[in-house]
């Protein structure tokens, strides 16, 4: 039984001259999973923030049933709108139980109720472990339990699959369906259309702050949705051919870290893209930092004149967010200027002296890439370079990485995204507990 | 421009609040403050002379904080700088080399401040001791070393009161007039401010200092060791605070006493914050607070209540600033 529960009417949100949302009217029905898709900067996050009451619209209303909400998060939560944030809001030094109790303080539920919810969902949660010891997927489940604890009517998921591996993704999508069957309104922001089509009953497309359409999933094809989001798509060209005669070698490489690497051996041709797959936390960071010579290592590595390094977390390692585009390039001592980078990489920014905080995630990543490729690196190490980016930005980043290989760089692309590896890598190895394996199956069973 | 207007109006508002809190009618209070700070040669020289150690130590705080190193130890570094200066003066005094001696005293006060800051930096980088806490604690040790010095090895011969030898004018910083306290250290401090500005915004090392402050992991990912930068910047910071002590010693006192500490090293922190951690802003804010100091001593002479005024206004100014930042940051956050 579906009924209209939540609606937004004529929502406009302006930041100065920029309209992040322009007269958006949309209904959300109970018992449905409603996906909101769009490019980075299309207004998805703004819409979610309005729904959750974190942001007051310049005009328009949010209604829950026949009640008009007050546009503050306390009121929205009181009437049953909960949000599962992309960046978890958990205290790492507290146990799962303590985190849940913290979340329960304003709800009229007990910890036992939450435990029951977990049992019903068949989730095996180590309630007494510290949150810092949990994997990403489990942390997210804790976050979801926190949201469910106050028996909400609406649960909003902000790009929930960005941090998960494939098994965790399918588990999450299953859970979302269950929530909808229990007549919740489930709203999800997503990038990957395959996931959207496997979970959503209804898909709404935002572009440049306006609603481009809202469809029942069975009435529409992925191609149509993707064209509404970004316009017609190019497919990836074939992987490049490369000269096999000279290679970048890595012999008996050992690196200390959370997941130590012992005696790793591999080579990459100059001009080749070597993909390294596997689930997060199996030595990816250790390997990348050792190759980028940011972390000390033992063993024999081919000496190269310049190394390009696209770290896994652009905000943590790749950029100084409070500094300008110019200043974020300056560190590499390359001839590239900020304004040249803006032009060449189509970075959306006010100017080269705009701080990185004013850029969207995709544009931030373009700054990292512009800087690292301006070095004309002989070795390029990139870790999950498209994480959190939309379709078009991802394609651009990957094509630049390929271009670097075409210009003769040995490229090591470390990624948890199999499609990405398949599209770009000439060959793929898999990391599992600090060892390199030849196939994903081996990596999973190891 | 808008920020400047907000800042000026804010400071005026804070002055009014400060006056009301200290129980002075705002109109009378303003008059006394302005007279004390600007009414004649003497008043202006007082403002400038008070601003000098605030500017130098404020620059010291600024460079450290720019690199993300929260040096709270300006006071200790200033005092140790003065102790080093006074010790050098005592050692070299018999040689009778006034001008060279002056330079050597200043150099040794820079060294003293740098060493004192270096202790905290070393503890932080090699032993993981929280720098905020170690610099705070080293302030107290610095003060006690000053007290020990003036009552012990540095005590004037044949004196039982705790004070060092009074240096003759020939060793002191040059003064344009014998009627006022104004000394050449004021000019020196402004030159240092220009130099720090050039260093931070026009050199590679200065850029790396700012980048380290913005995100040390960003610097590390580009194969540059942020700890080494922070260590060096701490030495620079301590050196500047030490210089503030040396200049105070050679510009005003010519002698160390237990009351040498005027809290300039602590006040330098709000001076630097209100100055937006920018050499130009710090220069302006140090002269503002220098004038406030001079005005306040006038206020306390006639208004009966005011010698704490400077501290109250500084405190309120920092609160105002933090509040303004908080609101602004939230706006930025939501705009994304």
């Amino acid at each position: 039984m579906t009924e209209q529960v939540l609606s937004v009417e004529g929502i406009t949100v302006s930041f100065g001259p920029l309209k992040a949302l322009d007269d958006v009217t949309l209904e959300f029905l109970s018992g449905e999973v409603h996906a909101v898709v769009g490019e980075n900067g299309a207004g998805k996050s703004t819409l979610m923030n309005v729904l959750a009451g974190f942001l007051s619209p310049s005009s328009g209303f949010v209604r829950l049933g026949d009640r008009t909400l007050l546009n503050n998060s306390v009121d929205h939560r009181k009437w049953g709108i909960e949000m599962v944030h992309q960046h978890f809001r958990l205290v790492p030094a507290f146990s799962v139980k303590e985190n849940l109790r913290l979340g329960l303080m304003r709800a009229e539920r007990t910890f036992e109720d939450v435990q029951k919810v977990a049992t019903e969902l068949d989730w095996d949660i180590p309630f007494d472990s510290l949150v810092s010891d949990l994997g990403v997927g489990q942390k997210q489940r804790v976050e979801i339990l926190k949201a469910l604890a106050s028996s909400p009517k609406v649960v909003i998921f902000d790009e929930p699959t960005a941090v998960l591996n494939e098994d965790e993704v399918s588990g999450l999508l299953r859970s979302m369906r269950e929530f909808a069957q229990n007549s919740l309104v489930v709203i999800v922001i997503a990038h990957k259309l395959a996931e959207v089509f496997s979970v959503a009953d209804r898909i709404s497309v935002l572009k440049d702050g306006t609603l481009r359409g809202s469809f029942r999933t069975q009435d529409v094809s992925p191609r149509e949705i993707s064209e509404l989001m970004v316009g017609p798509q190019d497919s990836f060209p074939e992987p490049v051919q490369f000269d096999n005669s000279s290679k970048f070698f890595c012999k008996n490489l050992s690196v200390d870290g959370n997941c130590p690497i012992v005696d790793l051996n591999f080579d990459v041709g100059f001009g080749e893209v070597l993909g390294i797959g596997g689930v997060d936390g199996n030595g990816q960071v250790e390997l990348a930092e050792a190759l980028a010579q940011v972390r000390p290592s033992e063993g024999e590595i081919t000496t190269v004149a310049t190394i390009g390094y696209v770290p896994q977390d652009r905000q943590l390692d790749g950029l100084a967010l409070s500094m300008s585009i110019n200043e974020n390039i300056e560190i590499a001592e390359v001839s590239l200027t900020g304004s040249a980078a803006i032009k060449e990489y189509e970075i959306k920014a006010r100017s080269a002296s705009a701080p990185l905080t004013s850029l969207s995630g995709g544009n931030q990543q373009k700054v990292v890439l512009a800087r690292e490729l301006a070095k004309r690196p002989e070795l390029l190490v990139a870790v999950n370079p498209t994480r959190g980016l939309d379709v078009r930005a991802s394609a651009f980043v990957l094509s630049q990485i390929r271009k670097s290989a075409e210009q003769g760089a040995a490229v090591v692309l470390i990624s948890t995204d199999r499609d990405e590896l398949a599209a770009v890598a000439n060959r793929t190895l898999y990391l599992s507990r600090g060892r390199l394996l030849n196939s994903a199956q081996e990596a999973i069973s190891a | 421009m808008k920020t400047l207007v907000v800042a000026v109006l804010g400071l005026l508002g804070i002055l009014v609040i400060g006056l009301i809190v200290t129980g002075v009618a705002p109109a009378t209070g303003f008059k006394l403050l302005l007279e004390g700070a600007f009414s004649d040669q003497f008043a202006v020289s007082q403002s400038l002379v008070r601003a000098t150690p605030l500017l130098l130590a404020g620059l010291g705080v600024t460079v450290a904080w720019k690199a993300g190193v929260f040096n709270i130890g300006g006071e200790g570094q200033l005092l140790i700088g003065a102790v080093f200066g006074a010790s050098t003066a005592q050692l070299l005094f018999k040689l009778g080399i006034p001008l060279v001696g002056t330079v050597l005293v200043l150099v040794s006060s820079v060294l003293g401040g740098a060493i004192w800051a270096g202790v905290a930096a070393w503890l932080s980088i090699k032993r993981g001791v929280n720098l905020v806490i170690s610099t705070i604690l080293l302030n107290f040790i610095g003060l006690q070393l000053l007290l020990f010095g003036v009552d012990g090895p540095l005590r004037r011969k044949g004196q039982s009161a705790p004070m060092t030898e009074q240096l003759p004018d020939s060793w002191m910083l040059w003064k344009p007039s014998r009627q006022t306290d104004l000394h050449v250290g004021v000019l020196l401090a402004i030159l240092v401010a220009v130099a720090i500005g050039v260093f931070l915004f026009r050199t590679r090392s200065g850029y790396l200092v700012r980048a380290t402050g913005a995100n040390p992991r960003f610097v590390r990912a580009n194969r540059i060791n942020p700890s080494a930068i922070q260590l060096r910047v701490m030495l620079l910071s301590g050196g500047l605070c030490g210089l503030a002590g040396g200049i105070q010693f050679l510009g005003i006192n010519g002698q160390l006493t237990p009351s040498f500490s005027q809290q300039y090293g602590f006040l330098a922190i709000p001076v630097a914050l209100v100055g937006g951690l920018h050499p130009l802003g710090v220069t302006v804010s140090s002269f503002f607070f220098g004038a406030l100091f001079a005005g306040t001593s006038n206020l306390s002479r006639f208004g009966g209540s005011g010698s704490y005024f400077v501290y109250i206004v500084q405190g309120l100014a920092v609160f105002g600033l933090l509040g303004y930042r908080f609101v602004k940051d939230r706006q930025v956050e939501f705009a994304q």
Side-chain angles (χ1 to χ4, degrees):
Chain A
M1 181 61 218
T2 65
E3 54 175 324
Q4 184 209 320
V5 174
L6 178 70
S7 64
V8 293
E9 289 167 30
I11 294 277
T12 298
V13 177
S14 314
F15 299 114
L18 179 81
K19 277 189 178 169
L21 283 179
D22 191 0
D23 195 20
V24 172
T25 297
L26 200 52
E27 290 180 349
F28 301 92
L29 308 183
S30 70
E32 279 194 354
V33 176
H34 192 141
V36 177
V37 298
E39 283 192 288
N40 292 335
K44 301 175 308 246
S45 296
T46 308
L47 180 61
M48 294 308 123
N49 281 326
V50 169
L51 284 174
F54 293 122
L55 194 60
S56 294
S58 317
S59 61
F61 312 96
V62 180
R63 282 187 212 281
L64 189 64
D66 44 15
R67 184 189 305 276
T68 303
L69 299 182
L70 294 177
N71 294 323
N72 68 60
S73 57
V74 177
D75 193 58
H76 286 223
R77 280 178 133 173
K78 183 168 127 197
W79 301 112
I81 301 179
E82 286 286 339
M83 185 146 172
V84 176
H85 294 274
Q86 184 181 11
H87 300 285
F88 303 139
R89 313 217 159 166
L90 300 170
V91 186
F94 280 12
S95 71
V96 173
K97 202 187 238 172
E98 286 164 330
N99 268 284
L100 289 171
R101 289 228 161 96
L102 206 59
L104 284 165
M105 279 173 23
R106 62 192 160 72
E108 289 165 4
R109 301 277 295 262
T110 63
F111 172 68
E112 283 65 36
D113 294 330
V114 182
Q115 250 176 331
K116 222 166 77 190
V117 175
T119 319
E120 280 165 18
L121 286 167
D122 206 14
W123 284 356
D124 186 19
I125 305 273
F127 287 103
D128 292 318
S129 301
L130 292 184
V131 163
S132 55
D133 295 338
L134 262 50
V136 185
Q138 281 189 314
K139 279 185 198 161
Q140 188 176 54
R141 287 184 166 185
V142 176
E143 191 80 5
I144 294 172
L145 282 179
K146 236 171 75 184
L148 292 177
S150 52
S151 350
K153 299 194 181 76
V154 180
V155 182
I156 303 167
F157 291 87
D158 183 9
E159 298 186 21
T161 61
V163 291
L164 303 182
N165 67 32
E166 283 169 42
D167 286 343
E168 290 168 334
V169 167
S170 56
L172 173 68
L173 297 183
R174 251 197 326 275
S175 306
M176 283 188 194
R177 296 258 21 115
E178 282 179 44
F179 301 151
Q181 274 152 23
N182 295 330
S183 66
L184 273 168
V185 180
V186 178
I187 305 174
V188 56
I189 300 187
H191 273 135
K192 293 188 183 163
L193 288 185
E195 290 167 7
V196 169
F197 274 83
S198 73
V199 72
D201 300 293
R202 192 173 291 273
I203 302 174
S204 295
V205 183
L206 285 174
K207 183 170 166 57
D208 300 331
T210 59
L211 184 69
R212 292 299 163 96
S214 188
F215 312 91
R216 289 199 303 172
T217 307
Q218 65 257 43
D219 300 340
V220 72
S221 75
R223 197 183 175 80
E224 286 167 295
I225 292 289
S226 124
E227 287 193 3
L228 279 173
M229 283 165 67
V230 294
Q233 274 296 296
D234 302 333
S235 59
F236 283 116
E238 285 297 297
V240 282
Q241 293 306 305
F242 61 92
D243 168 20
N244 216 350
S245 55
S246 65
K247 284 185 170 179
F248 173 87
F249 281 101
C250 203
K251 273 186 198 153
N252 305 325
L253 180 74
S254 295
V255 194
D256 254 354
N258 284 340
C259 178
I261 287 175
V262 184
D263 273 344
L264 206 68
N265 292 288
F266 68 89
D267 54 54
V268 201
F270 289 103
E272 181 183 13
V273 179
L274 171 68
I276 294 189
V279 177
D280 260 348
N282 277 284
Q284 281 90 343
V285 173
E286 287 79 0
L287 176 61
E289 290 197 346
L291 291 177
Q293 298 183 6
V294 171
R295 187 189 285 252
S297 61
E298 281 168 35
E300 200 181 313
I301 301 180
T302 311
T303 315
V304 289
T306 48
I307 302 171
Y309 176 38
V310 180
Q312 150 150 307
D313 191 327
R314 54 184 167 265
Q315 303 200 340
L316 199 62
D317 290 307
L319 298 163
L321 290 180
S322 61
M323 294 186 115
S324 68
I325 297 176
N326 276 327
E327 287 170 319
N328 272 280
I329 295 173
E330 192 177 337
I331 195 151
E333 297 184 281
V334 288
S335 59
L336 181 77
T337 64
S339 38
I342 289 175
K343 210 181 239 171
E344 196 180 327
Y345 286 79
E346 294 174 358
I347 296 167
K348 281 184 197 158
R350 284 196 310 272
S351 74
S353 51
L356 267 287
T357 43
S358 67
L359 269 57
S360 71
N363 286 305
Q364 289 177 349
Q365 188 73 325
K366 284 180 180 176
V367 175
V368 176
L369 212 63
R371 178 186 67 222
E372 297 305 318
L373 296 183
K375 294 176 183 169
R376 288 302 187 110
E378 287 178 27
L379 171 69
L380 177 66
V381 183
V383 190
N384 290 321
T386 65
R387 183 171 278 182
L389 304 192
D390 61 52
V391 186
R392 187 152 62 176
S394 299
F396 179 80
V397 166
L398 293 179
S399 72
Q400 288 299 319
I401 287 173
R402 289 258 308 261
K403 207 169 108 194
S404 174
E406 282 164 27
Q407 289 167 350
V411 177
V412 179
L413 173 63
I414 301 177
S415 175
T416 48
D417 184 339
R418 268 190 230 178
D419 300 338
E420 179 170 307
L421 293 171
V424 188
N426 299 84
R427 158 171 82 90
T428 300
L429 301 172
Y430 290 85
L431 257 181
S432 171
R433 291 179 204 169
R435 292 185 306 133
L436 272 181
L437 305 168
N438 287 319
S439 75
Q441 282 68 34
E442 255 187 273
I444 289 165
S445 56
Chain B
M1 197 57 215
K2 202 181 132 201
T3 322
L4 195 69
V5 173
V6 169
V8 169
L9 287 180
L11 277 175
L12 280 179
I14 285 163
L15 274 176
V16 172
I17 295 171
L19 284 168
I20 292 170
V21 168
T22 44
V24 182
T28 330
F30 260 113
K31 189 164 157 280
L32 287 170
L33 279 176
L34 286 173
E35 274 176 11
F38 305 110
S39 66
D40 56 18
Q41 242 188 10
F42 178 76
V44 172
S45 78
Q46 276 302 309
S47 298
L48 293 177
V49 158
R50 292 285 201 163
T52 303
L54 288 178
L55 174 52
L56 285 169
L59 290 168
V61 170
T62 299
V63 289
W65 285 38
K66 273 274 184 229
V69 184
F70 299 111
N71 179 12
I72 313 286
E75 179 72 4
Q77 290 144 25
L78 185 151
L79 296 178
I80 292 297
V83 168
F84 266 59
S87 310
T88 307
Q90 180 140 331
L91 280 173
L92 299 181
F93 186 64
K94 290 194 193 76
L95 299 178
I97 39 163
L99 201 61
V100 180
T102 306
V103 173
L104 288 176
V105 168
L106 288 183
V107 169
S108 60
S109 63
V110 170
L111 266 177
I115 289 171
W116 209 237
V119 172
W122 183 84
L123 282 171
S124 157
I125 289 164
K126 295 289 175 201
R127 288 283 172 268
V129 177
N130 184 314
L131 198 125
V132 170
I133 293 177
S134 65
T135 52
I136 288 177
L137 295 179
L138 283 166
N139 283 331
F140 300 118
I141 302 178
L143 178 62
Q144 297 308 317
L145 279 177
L146 169 81
L147 298 179
F148 165 70
V150 298
D151 202 14
L154 294 175
R155 194 170 61 203
R156 191 176 188 167
K157 292 231 163 51
Q159 263 284 5
S160 57
M163 55 175 67
T164 64
E165 209 77 52
Q166 173 72 46
L167 278 178
D169 282 355
S170 59
W171 279 69
M172 304 269 287
L173 292 174
W174 180 73
K175 288 181 182 171
S177 154
R178 296 191 65 83
Q179 261 93 60
T180 68
D181 279 342
L182 187 66
H183 55 76
V184 72
V186 177
L187 192 65
L188 199 65
I190 292 173
L191 290 177
V192 170
V194 173
I196 294 294
V198 170
F199 167 73
L200 280 177
F201 296 102
R202 291 281 180 276
T203 67
R204 172 81 179 161
S205 313
Y207 164 75
L208 289 176
V209 166
R210 289 184 294 122
T212 303
N215 182 3
R217 295 191 52 141
F218 162 67
V219 174
R220 172 178 170 270
N222 283 279
R223 284 178 291 286
I224 299 165
N225 180 1
S227 298
I229 292 171
Q230 291 181 327
L231 173 65
R232 269 176 272 157
V233 94
M234 219 15 216
L235 297 180
L236 174 63
S237 172
L240 287 167
C241 293
L243 181 63
I247 282 190
Q248 190 68 3
F249 170 61
L250 285 185
I252 305 292
N253 309 65
Q255 172 179 55
L256 292 188
T257 63
S259 62
F260 180 82
S261 163
Q262 295 282 314
Q263 319 260 327
Y264 287 121
F266 287 119
L267 291 171
I269 296 165
V271 164
L273 282 175
V274 172
L277 297 178
H278 187 290
L280 186 64
V282 175
T283 307
V284 174
S285 95
S286 67
F287 283 105
F288 173 81
F289 284 110
L292 195 62
F293 247 122
T296 300
S297 47
N298 197 42
L299 189 69
S300 62
R301 247 195 316 274
F302 298 100
S305 62
S307 68
Y308 308 106
F309 190 65
V310 123
Y311 305 100
I312 293 174
V313 170
Q314 278 211 334
L316 290 175
V318 172
F319 273 124
L321 183 84
L322 293 177
Y324 176 69
R325 284 247 181 91
F326 177 71
V327 171
K328 233 177 106 185
D329 287 352
R330 275 176 64 110
Q331 283 169 348
V332 171
E333 212 170 281
F334 276 137
Q336 281 170 15

